[in-house]
Amino acid sequence: MQTYSNAPAATRPIPPKPVHQHYERYDWSKMREYATSTGKFPEPPVGFDKTRQKMLTKILEVAETGDPKKLLQFQIRNYNSAVRVISQYRDICAIALYARTKLEAAVER
């Protein structure tokens, strides 16, 4: 059996790059661009346990009311990376709501 050190360079297997569970999965800059240009919410993040899924559901319910100030007042304690992902998604939903009001004002003119 060949090991990394004894194998020829051309046949040496490349170890996979370590990726973070949440941050590599979502392209936050594209989500922000989508939210600002269309005023729509991007797809919500997936892969959370029940507690964090309930938190995400509450955020979506508050976002559907259409009040960005109320959405930003929804407090999320940032104690791990999964909750930070939900916090970023909340902020992007607020951006989408502000963009939606701006787009509607532009259409009315």
Side-chain angles (χ1 to χ4, degrees), residues 5 15 20-21 28 36 39 45 47 61 70 87 105:
S5 60
H20 192 275
Q21 180 181 353
W28 298 109
T36 55
E61 288 173 1
K70 186 182 278 188
S87 176

Side-chain angles (χ1 to χ4, degrees), residues 1-106:
M1 182 174 156
Q2 291 183 339
T3 61
Y4 288 118
S5 60
N6 295 335
T11 61
R12 188 178 308 150
I14 300 171
K17 290 183 179 179
V19 293
H20 192 275
Q21 180 181 353
H22 297 288
Y23 292 118
E24 291 295 323
R25 190 181 307 167
Y26 307 110
D27 189 356
W28 298 109
S29 60
K30 285 185 181 179
M31 283 183 158
R32 278 188 204 92
E33 288 176 19
Y34 176 77
T36 55
S37 63
T38 62
K40 296 179 183 177
F41 305 130
E43 289 293 320
V46 294
F48 297 113
D49 59 352
K50 290 181 181 180
T51 305
R52 289 172 187 85
Q53 191 64 38
K54 286 180 187 177
M55 189 184 305
L56 184 63
T57 304
K58 287 180 185 177
I59 287 173
L60 288 171
E61 288 173 1
V62 173
E64 290 296 326
T65 62
D67 186 11
K69 291 181 182 178
K70 186 182 278 188
L71 181 63
L72 290 174
Q73 288 175 355
F74 187 83
Q75 292 185 353
I76 300 172
R77 294 184 182 169
N78 290 333
Y79 53 86
N80 67 18
S81 61
V83 178
R84 286 187 201 113
V85 168
I86 294 173
S87 176
Q88 282 186 320
Y89 184 74
R90 178 203 59 191
D91 296 343
I92 290 174
C93 286
I95 290 170
L97 289 173
Y98 281 119
R100 185 182 299 172
T101 57
K102 204 172 196 181
L103 291 171
E104 288 173 355

